[in-house]
Amino acid sequence: MYAIVEIAGHQFKVEKDQRVFVNRLSTEEGKKVSFDNVLLIEDGNNITLGAPAIDGAQVSAKVLKHLKGDKVIVFKKKRRKGYRVKNGHRQSLTEIVIEGITTSGAKKAAPKKETKKAEPKVEAKAAAPKVEKAAKKAAAPKATGKADDLKKIEGIGPKIASTLVEAGIASFSDLAKAKSEAISEIISSVRGNHVTDTWPAQAQLAADGKWDELKKWQDELDGGKA
């Protein structure tokens, strides 16, 4: 039996006891994890297709360790300009072992049922307006501030920009304060090799309004890599 399952944004063909390297997961080493987005299951001559996922199917696994993949060398050259850049990138990965494939009956909706069974319904309704007002007041400064166009940073595209915004990095000043390692962790689910070393420095120039200096530097960059 094998299954095709989506894990951390990628699709894998997995079997029981198979070891798989996936994009970094947040689960700690030694703990179990399950994946509900099962697209196909083959059991002998029986093949079940999802639309897109198979209802009740699940792949269970155990996290063995977190590691980094092999270094990928990226070399860029511009003719007649004497421009050569060589960079390396190591993707953050997690090694897991497949423990089982469930074809049906998996308790996929269990977390949702727990949230619905909140007993103090009356208290929740009474407190809801206060909580909503407090949330709006807390969010007001962020809502009034203008979000910057992070795509102006060399190496950041629409997908990465939206991923950073969802993680709370919505302005040049936010990006300038972030560490490149933390940025790499945030965008680890985005396809492609992304080197974030220069992004905070670029963002600082943008936050300071030094656009001419930033543009001059970006002419020498390739996808955010110095």
Side-chain angles (χ1 to χ4, degrees):
M1 174 189 291
Y2 72 83
I4 295 179
V5 59
E6 183 175 328
I7 304 174
H10 293 151
Q11 295 179 6
F12 298 89
K13 177 182 177 182
V14 298
E15 299 178 359
K16 190 176 185 298
D17 298 328
Q18 178 183 352
R19 295 193 175 193
V20 184
F21 292 92
V22 301
N23 284 334
R24 180 68 63 91
L25 301 176
S26 58
T27 308
E28 297 179 2
E29 294 183 2
K31 291 192 175 182
K32 295 185 178 182
V33 63
S34 60
F35 307 101
D36 300 321
N37 197 9
V38 182
L39 309 178
L40 179 147
I41 293 179
E42 187 273 344
D43 186 5
N45 295 327
N46 298 324
I47 298 178
T48 305
L49 290 173
I54 301 174
D55 187 25
Q58 189 178 84
V59 173
S60 59
K62 180 180 180 181
V63 175
L64 297 180
K65 61 180 178 180
H66 299 296
L67 67 160
K68 285 194 173 183
D70 297 334
K71 180 178 288 188
V72 178
I73 301 299
V74 181
F75 181 76
K76 181 69 176 180
K77 176 182 177 181
K78 295 183 180 179
R79 294 191 304 164
R80 298 186 295 274
K81 293 187 178 181
Y83 176 80
R84 297 188 176 199
V85 175
K86 182 179 180 182
N87 277 284
H89 171 72
R90 297 183 66 190
Q91 182 69 25
S92 297
L93 302 173
T94 297
E95 183 181 6
I96 62 175
V97 58
I98 305 300
E99 293 189 334
I101 300 173
T102 304
T103 57
S104 62
K107 296 181 180 180
K108 184 177 180 180
K112 294 183 179 180
K113 291 182 180 179
E114 292 178 0
T115 56
K116 290 181 180 179
K117 290 181 180 179
E119 294 181 359
K121 292 183 179 179
V122 177
E123 295 180 3
K125 289 182 180 180
K130 295 182 180 180
V131 174
E132 290 178 0
K133 290 181 180 179
K136 289 180 180 179
K137 289 181 180 180
K142 295 183 179 179
T144 55
K146 294 182 178 179
D148 296 320
D149 185 5
L150 299 180
K151 297 190 296 296
K152 292 184 179 180
I153 303 301
E154 179 71 16
I156 295 182
K159 180 62 176 178
I160 294 179
S162 62
T163 303
L164 292 174
V165 171
E166 291 175 0
I169 301 177
S171 65
F172 294 133
S173 59
D174 294 336
L175 184 59
K177 295 176 184 178
K179 295 183 179 180
S180 60
E181 295 83 359
I183 299 172
S184 298
E185 291 290 337
I186 294 173
I187 65 171
S188 61
S189 61
V190 181
R191 294 177 182 270
N193 296 323
H194 310 287
V195 179
T196 62
D197 297 347
T198 65
W199 294 3
Q202 290 188 63
Q204 187 61 60
L205 292 176
D208 295 339
K210 299 179 180 179
W211 296 105
D212 293 337
E213 185 176 345
L214 176 60
K215 186 177 183 300
K216 182 179 178 181
W217 187 19
Q218 287 180 340
D219 290 339
E220 302 174 357
L221 295 176
D222 173 39
K225 302 181 282 294

